[in-house]
Amino acid sequence: SSDLIIFMLTVKQIMDKYGKPGDPALSTTLKFPYPMRLAWAPDTIVHTTSCHKLVAPQFTKVFEDILAHYGIDEIKRLGLDLFGGITNVRPMRGTEAKHAAALKAGNLELAYTYLSRHAWGIAIDLDPSRNGLKTKWLNAQFSKADYQFMVDTFYKHGFMSYGKDRNYDAMHFEINQ
């Protein structure tokens, strides 16, 4: 429901459940149930990617449900196959200098607070060009009625939407449990 306040997991909660960011022992291969296209190179088809092994089942269910509901032709028409990435060990946009300073000071705990949730492989970006980082939710493609099932499906499987819950970065869905 849109009147619920969604609280994000803290970095401590993420570390306790999902471990250290970028740990290859915690990663697994996610096989998409339909072909995805790289958002920045749409002629490049992606069938698999890496993600955290604890969220692979939820990602799989999300994309199976999307395929069952929309079908491949509608997925392509809506751009639900425009893949912007899952695992990427990097700071959140705009926190690069703070992250670097914390690393230089040897304060890993602080440095981790500046990492993107992609660093753990627990978040995905879809159709970034029409759901941009600074785009307000009501201006994002994913706020439109055709996408309601997709957004609801992410919530059903334990994810949150930055666009819907934080009013920016509508491309971004991350596990929230």
PDB file of all heavy atoms in Angstrom, residues 64-77:
ATOM      1  N   GLU A  64      10.272 -14.598 -13.264  1.00  0.00           N
ATOM      2  CA  GLU A  64       9.310 -15.613 -13.717  1.00  0.00           C
ATOM      3  C   GLU A  64       7.891 -15.051 -13.683  1.00  0.00           C
ATOM      4  O   GLU A  64       7.104 -15.264 -14.610  1.00  0.00           O
ATOM      5  CB  GLU A  64       9.407 -16.873 -12.851  1.00  0.00           C
ATOM      6  CG  GLU A  64      10.640 -17.707 -13.124  1.00  0.00           C
ATOM      7  CD  GLU A  64      10.824 -18.874 -12.169  1.00  0.00           C
ATOM      8  OE1 GLU A  64      10.121 -18.950 -11.133  1.00  0.00           O
ATOM      9  OE2 GLU A  64      11.699 -19.710 -12.445  1.00  0.00           O
ATOM     10  N   ASP A  65       7.559 -14.335 -12.606  1.00  0.00           N
ATOM     11  CA  ASP A  65       6.229 -13.726 -12.487  1.00  0.00           C
ATOM     12  C   ASP A  65       6.017 -12.653 -13.568  1.00  0.00           C
ATOM     13  O   ASP A  65       4.926 -12.547 -14.141  1.00  0.00           O
ATOM     14  CB  ASP A  65       6.034 -13.092 -11.111  1.00  0.00           C
ATOM     15  CG  ASP A  65       5.839 -14.114  -9.996  1.00  0.00           C
ATOM     16  OD1 ASP A  65       5.837 -15.337 -10.274  1.00  0.00           O
ATOM     17  OD2 ASP A  65       5.714 -13.682  -8.825  1.00  0.00           O
ATOM     18  N   ILE A  66       7.047 -11.847 -13.835  1.00  0.00           N
ATOM     19  CA  ILE A  66       6.948 -10.824 -14.875  1.00  0.00           C
ATOM     20  C   ILE A  66       6.712 -11.478 -16.234  1.00  0.00           C
ATOM     21  O   ILE A  66       5.836 -11.053 -16.991  1.00  0.00           O
ATOM     22  CB  ILE A  66       8.215  -9.930 -14.880  1.00  0.00           C
ATOM     23  CG1 ILE A  66       8.194  -9.015 -13.651  1.00  0.00           C
ATOM     24  CG2 ILE A  66       8.336  -9.128 -16.171  1.00  0.00           C
ATOM     25  CD1 ILE A  66       9.485  -8.247 -13.413  1.00  0.00           C
ATOM     26  N   LEU A  67       7.451 -12.536 -16.537  1.00  0.00           N
ATOM     27  CA  LEU A  67       7.277 -13.247 -17.809  1.00  0.00           C
ATOM     28  C   LEU A  67       5.878 -13.846 -17.917  1.00  0.00           C
ATOM     29  O   LEU A  67       5.216 -13.711 -18.952  1.00  0.00           O
ATOM     30  CB  LEU A  67       8.337 -14.338 -17.964  1.00  0.00           C
ATOM     31  CG  LEU A  67       8.247 -15.177 -19.238  1.00  0.00           C
ATOM     32  CD1 LEU A  67       8.364 -14.319 -20.493  1.00  0.00           C
ATOM     33  CD2 LEU A  67       9.317 -16.269 -19.223  1.00  0.00           C
ATOM     34  N   ALA A  68       5.408 -14.476 -16.847  1.00  0.00           N
ATOM     35  CA  ALA A  68       4.071 -15.101 -16.873  1.00  0.00           C
ATOM     36  C   ALA A  68       2.969 -14.056 -17.063  1.00  0.00           C
ATOM     37  O   ALA A  68       1.983 -14.308 -17.750  1.00  0.00           O
ATOM     38  CB  ALA A  68       3.834 -15.891 -15.581  1.00  0.00           C
ATOM     39  N   HIS A  69       3.144 -12.881 -16.469  1.00  0.00           N
ATOM     40  CA  HIS A  69       2.108 -11.847 -16.548  1.00  0.00           C
ATOM     41  C   HIS A  69       2.126 -11.097 -17.882  1.00  0.00           C
ATOM     42  O   HIS A  69       1.081 -10.916 -18.509  1.00  0.00           O
ATOM     43  CB  HIS A  69       2.275 -10.847 -15.404  1.00  0.00           C
ATOM     44  CG  HIS A  69       1.289  -9.725 -15.432  1.00  0.00           C
ATOM     45  ND1 HIS A  69      -0.001  -9.868 -14.981  1.00  0.00           N
ATOM     46  CD2 HIS A  69       1.400  -8.450 -15.880  1.00  0.00           C
ATOM     47  CE1 HIS A  69      -0.650  -8.727 -15.147  1.00  0.00           C
ATOM     48  NE2 HIS A  69       0.180  -7.837 -15.689  1.00  0.00           N
ATOM     49  N   TYR A  70       3.297 -10.659 -18.300  1.00  0.00           N
ATOM     50  CA  TYR A  70       3.396  -9.787 -19.472  1.00  0.00           C
ATOM     51  C   TYR A  70       3.620 -10.539 -20.780  1.00  0.00           C
ATOM     52  O   TYR A  70       3.165 -10.085 -21.822  1.00  0.00           O
ATOM     53  CB  TYR A  70       4.544  -8.785 -19.309  1.00  0.00           C
ATOM     54  CG  TYR A  70       4.327  -7.716 -18.255  1.00  0.00           C
ATOM     55  CD1 TYR A  70       4.981  -7.788 -17.029  1.00  0.00           C
ATOM     56  CD2 TYR A  70       3.499  -6.627 -18.499  1.00  0.00           C
ATOM     57  CE1 TYR A  70       4.814  -6.790 -16.069  1.00  0.00           C
ATOM     58  CE2 TYR A  70       3.322  -5.632 -17.545  1.00  0.00           C
ATOM     59  CZ  TYR A  70       3.977  -5.726 -16.337  1.00  0.00           C
ATOM     60  OH  TYR A  70       3.810  -4.744 -15.396  1.00  0.00           O
ATOM     61  N   GLY A  71       4.367 -11.640 -20.738  1.00  0.00           N
ATOM     62  CA  GLY A  71       4.790 -12.299 -21.975  1.00  0.00           C
ATOM     63  C   GLY A  71       5.961 -11.549 -22.584  1.00  0.00           C
ATOM     64  O   GLY A  71       6.172 -10.362 -22.311  1.00  0.00           O
ATOM     65  N   ILE A  72       6.723 -12.221 -23.417  1.00  0.00           N
ATOM     66  CA  ILE A  72       7.979 -11.658 -23.918  1.00  0.00           C
ATOM     67  C   ILE A  72       7.774 -10.427 -24.807  1.00  0.00           C
ATOM     68  O   ILE A  72       8.538  -9.459 -24.726  1.00  0.00           O
ATOM     69  CB  ILE A  72       8.840 -12.737 -24.631  1.00  0.00           C
ATOM     70  CG1 ILE A  72      10.270 -12.218 -24.842  1.00  0.00           C
ATOM     71  CG2 ILE A  72       8.212 -13.199 -25.921  1.00  0.00           C
ATOM     72  CD1 ILE A  72      11.044 -11.962 -23.581  1.00  0.00           C
ATOM     73  N   ASP A  73       6.735 -10.403 -25.630  1.00  0.00           N
ATOM     74  CA  ASP A  73       6.516  -9.244 -26.506  1.00  0.00           C
ATOM     75  C   ASP A  73       6.231  -7.974 -25.706  1.00  0.00           C
ATOM     76  O   ASP A  73       6.751  -6.898 -26.012  1.00  0.00           O
ATOM     77  CB  ASP A  73       5.386  -9.509 -27.504  1.00  0.00           C
ATOM     78  CG  ASP A  73       5.749 -10.550 -28.542  1.00  0.00           C
ATOM     79  OD1 ASP A  73       6.961 -10.787 -28.760  1.00  0.00           O
ATOM     80  OD2 ASP A  73       4.824 -11.137 -29.148  1.00  0.00           O
ATOM     81  N   GLU A  74       5.407  -8.089 -24.666  1.00  0.00           N
ATOM     82  CA  GLU A  74       5.081  -6.933 -23.822  1.00  0.00           C
ATOM     83  C   GLU A  74       6.294  -6.526 -22.977  1.00  0.00           C
ATOM     84  O   GLU A  74       6.537  -5.338 -22.762  1.00  0.00           O
ATOM     85  CB  GLU A  74       3.866  -7.268 -22.942  1.00  0.00           C
ATOM     86  CG  GLU A  74       3.281  -6.091 -22.213  1.00  0.00           C
ATOM     87  CD  GLU A  74       2.578  -5.053 -23.100  1.00  0.00           C
ATOM     88  OE1 GLU A  74       2.638  -5.118 -24.348  1.00  0.00           O
ATOM     89  OE2 GLU A  74       1.973  -4.140 -22.518  1.00  0.00           O
ATOM     90  N   ILE A  75       7.062  -7.495 -22.520  1.00  0.00           N
ATOM     91  CA  ILE A  75       8.301  -7.202 -21.779  1.00  0.00           C
ATOM     92  C   ILE A  75       9.214  -6.329 -22.639  1.00  0.00           C
ATOM     93  O   ILE A  75       9.740  -5.315 -22.177  1.00  0.00           O
ATOM     94  CB  ILE A  75       9.010  -8.500 -21.354  1.00  0.00           C
ATOM     95  CG1 ILE A  75       8.251  -9.134 -20.179  1.00  0.00           C
ATOM     96  CG2 ILE A  75      10.476  -8.266 -21.002  1.00  0.00           C
ATOM     97  CD1 ILE A  75       8.694 -10.534 -19.824  1.00  0.00           C
ATOM     98  N   LYS A  76       9.376  -6.707 -23.897  1.00  0.00           N
ATOM     99  CA  LYS A  76      10.229  -5.927 -24.807  1.00  0.00           C
ATOM    100  C   LYS A  76       9.630  -4.548 -25.062  1.00  0.00           C
ATOM    101  O   LYS A  76      10.339  -3.540 -25.061  1.00  0.00           O
ATOM    102  CB  LYS A  76      10.429  -6.682 -26.120  1.00  0.00           C
ATOM    103  CG  LYS A  76      11.343  -7.877 -25.984  1.00  0.00           C
ATOM    104  CD  LYS A  76      11.465  -8.601 -27.314  1.00  0.00           C
ATOM    105  CE  LYS A  76      12.372  -9.800 -27.198  1.00  0.00           C
ATOM    106  NZ  LYS A  76      12.481 -10.533 -28.466  1.00  0.00           N
ATOM    107  N   ARG A  77       8.321  -4.490 -25.303  1.00  0.00           N
ATOM    108  CA  ARG A  77       7.667  -3.202 -25.572  1.00  0.00           C
ATOM    109  C   ARG A  77       7.836  -2.245 -24.396  1.00  0.00           C
ATOM    110  O   ARG A  77       8.096  -1.050 -24.580  1.00  0.00           O
ATOM    111  CB  ARG A  77       6.176  -3.412 -25.857  1.00  0.00           C
ATOM    112  CG  ARG A  77       5.455  -2.115 -26.261  1.00  0.00           C
ATOM    113  CD  ARG A  77       3.961  -2.301 -26.431  1.00  0.00           C
ATOM    114  NE  ARG A  77       3.245  -2.388 -25.165  1.00  0.00           N
ATOM    115  CZ  ARG A  77       2.937  -1.341 -24.388  1.00  0.00           C
ATOM    116  NH1 ARG A  77       3.301  -0.114 -24.714  1.00  0.00           N
ATOM    117  NH2 ARG A  77       2.264  -1.518 -23.261  1.00  0.00           N
TER     118      ARG A  77
END
